[in-house]
Amino acid sequence: MGEVDEGTRAANLRAAWALAHAAGLAASETLPSDSGASSPESRAVMRANRGRDTKPELLLRSLLHQRGLRYRVSIRPLPDLRRTADVVFPKARVAVFVDGCFWHGCPEHHRPATKRAEFWREKIEGNRARDAETSRLLLERGWRVVRAWEHEDLSRVAERIDLLVRARRPVKEG
């Protein structure tokens, strides 16, 4: 097809896609009428975002499993609340959420969108409000909530969860 040697990765990708389109190897997608995306490219990126089993979630679950902890994945801690936690310890009543920096507005890494800025600002604010409400409702019903950012040291998060779960497990009478 050809080589690209631009100054940045983004420029290389643009140049490579231009070559692919010119060679007939890639077709331009038109946006569906009901799509809120600003371009076919942004729609493809948004559709590729995973709702569960993200890399940070998988790594955290692996670290928890190595510590001998067993858990449920992507379930509702409270059956009457339409919110799922990433990792749940039902007997210990511990719900774990691994929050993405963009989607949950990480104070350290979140960079506001430049296209459709108002829409995305409202979306992220809504996610933050829902996260706070979810944590409050779980705490009111005797659960403990662990929220971790995707960029955190997940081995430290796993240690924190391990201590909490073991401290909250029901004592077996013997």
Side-chain angles (χ1 to χ4, degrees), residues 1 10 23 29-30 38 41 54 75 77 81 90 95 108 113 125 130 134 137 143 148 151 167 171 174:
M1 199 169 24
E29 177 188 351
T30 57
S38 59
E41 293 80 12
T54 63
I75 65 165
L81 183 64
E108 191 175 333
E125 283 177 8
R130 186 191 64 240
T134 300
L137 291 170
W143 284 74
H151 67 268
V171 177

Side-chain angles (χ1 to χ4, degrees), residues 82-158:
R82 272 191 64 213
R83 315 259 169 87
T84 60
D86 299 315
V87 178
V88 179
F89 299 89
K91 288 184 181 174
R93 296 171 63 103
V94 174
V96 180
F97 299 87
V98 181
D99 294 337
C101 291
F102 176 79
W103 293 106
H104 297 269
C106 169
E108 191 175 333
H109 296 109
H110 178 72
R111 297 293 173 262
T114 53
K115 290 186 180 178
R116 302 188 64 213
E118 183 64 18
F119 168 83
W120 285 110
R121 185 187 59 74
E122 289 174 8
K123 172 74 173 159
I124 303 306
E125 283 177 8
N127 289 349
R128 285 177 169 169
R130 186 191 64 240
D131 292 345
E133 179 188 38
T134 300
S135 294
R136 179 182 57 78
L137 291 170
L138 286 166
L139 288 169
E140 286 174 359
R141 296 202 198 167
W143 284 74
R144 290 297 170 260
V145 176
V146 176
R147 288 200 173 269
W149 291 108
E150 66 178 332
H151 67 268
E152 283 187 66
D153 179 346
L154 295 176
S155 60
R156 287 187 178 167
V157 174

Side-chain angles (χ1 to χ4, degrees), residues 21 27-32 39-41 43-44 47:
H21 281 282
S28 294
E29 177 188 351
T30 57
L31 286 173
S39 69
E41 293 80 12
R43 181 170 192 261
R47 290 184 69 184

